Amino acid sequence: MLKSKASQTSIEQRNTTRMRVLDHIRSRDSVSRIDIASALQTSPATVTSATADLISAGLIKEVPGDPPLKSSKRGRPRVLLQLDGGSYLVAGLKVARHAMSVILVDFQGTPLASYNHPLADAQMTPEVFVRTIRDALQEASAQIGKTLEDLSGVSIGIAGLVDAENNFVHWSSSLTERNIDFGQILPKEIPCPAFIENDANLVAKAEQHFGYGKGLKNFLVVTIEHGVGLGIVLDGQLYRGERGCGAEFGHAKVQLDGALCQCGQRGCLEAYVGDYALIREMTVVDQNQNPRTVADIYDKARSGDVMAASVLGRAGQMFGLGISNLINLFDPECIILSGGQKGLEHLYSDEVMTRIRSGVVNVDTPLPEIKVHHWGDQMWAKGAAAYAIEQVSILKVKDIPAHAS
Ligand SMILES: [Zn+2]
């Protein structure tokens, strides 16, 4: 039987309330019903109903609070609510050039297992890509005596243009094909709900949950590794754009008809700043130079190699230009430069800061804070796991039967 519009609206309202209550409990270690009602400015009866539903779905549990003071009129000990960590096992997975990093966490985000799955090829067909994800998840699950069937959800972070809402990847440097509907392909190999998302957005999520973005309303995360990514958090929410391609900072043009980018266009920022661009540039200027990593270029520059210093210097200048544009566009509280590679010094030097300052149009207030955060692929995967917990929560809340409250 079709539900009436009015009852549909009331179901949506009830789910929104449940999610607000769940998010509030997640943001605290443990909290009482009365404190939730007061924080969310809603009635105790509404909170009691929502928490009963969340307990029945296994998302939260009751725990004893401190015993009441002798002087207190209340005789009963306080009951607090917290996330039920053991209820669901979720996975976060980050696809890098040489490996897929997996982290398994409980529902409170506590890491239970981690695994790095080496990749034979940096670019894969969608079918090989999904099979490799399955293998990596199996290996990680086996570490704690679990199987794929024990997972309640997995989130996959990938570089490129991703429509996260529809599990659709328009383009990624990890894939041999464009416009792949992973909503169709992932269920063939992965038995649990899977959510694919732009990797820089997942780093922004990780920064918001566990890093420098905690407590900030408006901040940007610039990721620098093989390419250059951007995560935008505005008013506490991740901004994805209308088609999921709203933060392609790496493909912002910094040079008319400039260097060839891996996206196929010319003059993109990452064609000057990304790992591959620096290594390519070194090889172009001197055939005898054969750096394999950015760390090699650093070592050369440090030992007085003028060419290496000049390649890093140009990258810094282009980067400074890009960052000043971001400040002009967003006026953020903070910009977090996040990367796993050794050394971001050339992107954080005094020369780059001068370049940023000279490109920022508001000269009357100090620059937003610019922080550098080094973290490895496991931290990217942790951001993916945080996203998986969020998405599994939404699915479980939707699954609560209508008669539960
Ligand atoms: Zn590009």
Side-chain angles (χ1 to χ4, degrees):
M1 198 171 64
L2 282 175
K3 290 192 176 80
S4 71
K5 209 171 172 186
S7 85
Q8 196 67 40
T9 311
S10 91
I11 291 169
E12 279 166 22
Q13 278 169 351
R14 199 156 46 195
N15 283 344
T16 304
T17 306
R18 289 165 175 162
M19 280 309 295
R20 284 183 70 216
V21 171
L22 183 64
D23 286 342
H24 186 73
I25 295 170
R26 194 196 315 283
S27 70
R28 305 282 187 279
D29 283 341
S30 53
V31 60
S32 69
R33 288 180 175 84
I34 197 73
D35 288 344
I36 298 172
S38 144
L40 301 183
Q41 296 183 322
T42 186
S43 74
T46 302
V47 172
T48 299
S49 159
T51 53
D53 294 343
L54 295 170
I55 289 172
S56 76
L59 292 161
I60 61 169
K61 62 181 179 186
E62 289 185 331
V63 290
D66 294 332
L69 296 172
K70 284 220 169 83
S71 58
S72 165
K73 284 181 186 155
R74 290 185 320 138
R76 284 187 301 158
R78 265 156 60 95
V79 172
L80 302 179
L81 296 159
Q82 64 177 216
L83 287 185
D84 189 351
S87 55
Y88 301 109
L89 178 67
V90 303
L93 185 146
K94 145 84 177 164
V95 183
R97 249 183 118 58
H98 304 294
M100 282 185 184
S101 308
V102 185
I103 190 162
L104 298 188
V105 298
D106 71 10
F107 204 60
Q108 280 173 311
T110 311
L112 302 174
S114 65
Y115 171 67
N116 267 334
H117 189 87
L119 294 178
D121 297 303
Q123 277 200 319
M124 291 161 274
T125 64
E127 290 72 24
V128 170
F129 180 77
V130 172
R131 277 201 298 274
T132 313
I133 290 173
R134 182 200 59 199
D135 293 347
L137 291 174
Q138 261 167 352
E139 288 285 344
S141 304
Q143 280 184 14
I144 49 168
K146 301 282 185 186
T147 67
L148 277 184
E149 279 66 32
D150 294 313
L151 293 174
S152 293
V154 54
S155 160
I156 300 149
I158 185 173
L161 309 177
V162 182
D163 177 352
E165 207 172 311
N166 295 304
N167 269 351
F168 193 93
V169 177
H170 293 282
W171 172 78
S172 170
S173 55
S174 295
L175 294 169
T176 53
E177 295 167 35
R178 296 182 81 104
N179 296 313
I180 306 300
D181 185 357
F182 280 103
Q184 296 289 325
I185 303 175
L186 282 164
K188 291 180 185 164
E189 301 284 349
I190 316 288
C192 63
F195 318 98
I196 198 156
E197 170 63 293
N198 172 277
D199 56 358
N201 282 347
L202 295 177
V203 176
K205 247 194 201 303
E207 289 288 1
Q208 190 178 29
H209 284 280
F210 325 109
Y212 292 144
K214 218 171 174 177
L216 298 186
K217 277 178 79 175
N218 300 303
F219 68 93
L220 306 174
V221 177
V222 177
T223 61
I224 309 130
E225 47 160 21
H226 184 65
V228 177
L230 175 66
I232 304 170
V233 175
L234 298 178
D235 215 10
Q237 300 293 318
L238 195 61
Y239 175 77
R240 289 195 174 89
E242 195 55 37
R243 292 162 297 162
C245 314
E248 286 308 317
F249 180 50
H251 305 282
K253 305 299 179 280
V254 291
Q255 182 85 54
L256 193 64
D257 298 327
L260 184 63
C261 179
Q262 56 178 352
C263 73
Q265 300 189 345
R266 284 188 176 276
C268 298
L269 177 66
E270 73 172 44
Y272 296 93
V273 175
D275 281 17
Y276 75 92
L278 297 176
I279 293 166
R280 176 180 64 188
E281 188 68 10
M282 279 298 285
T283 319
V284 165
V285 292
D286 183 350
Q287 295 290 326
N288 296 323
Q289 302 263 19
N290 194 19
R292 287 182 40 242
T293 64
V294 175
D296 291 345
I297 305 177
Y298 268 101
D299 292 342
K300 279 178 194 292
R302 265 195 214 102
S303 60
D305 186 308
V306 178
M307 209 50 84
S310 142
V311 167
L312 293 177
R314 186 171 75 154
Q317 291 298 308
M318 292 297 192
F319 189 68
L321 187 66
I323 295 289
S324 61
N325 285 335
L326 286 183
I327 295 170
N328 290 337
L329 286 168
F330 292 102
D331 187 20
E333 290 169 83
C334 178
I335 296 182
I336 303 165
L337 309 183
S338 178
Q341 62 175 270
K342 182 186 161 196
L344 292 174
E345 292 89 341
H346 67 297
L347 304 179
Y348 197 52
S349 64
D350 290 345
E351 292 78 26
V352 175
M353 289 299 136
T354 305
R355 164 64 83 171
I356 293 174
R357 216 165 271 119
S358 69
V360 171
V361 70
N362 179 2
V363 294
D364 301 310
T365 58
L367 284 181
E369 201 172 2
I370 299 177
K371 288 184 170 178
V372 181
H373 200 175
H374 293 290
W375 56 8
D377 287 334
Q378 285 302 335
M379 285 305 288
W380 292 65
K382 206 171 170 190
Y387 180 60
I389 290 173
E390 258 181 40
Q391 294 301 307
V392 169
S393 302
I394 293 168
L395 290 181
K396 298 294 176 190
V397 161
K398 276 191 189 156
D399 282 349
I400 296 172
H403 55 76
S405 55

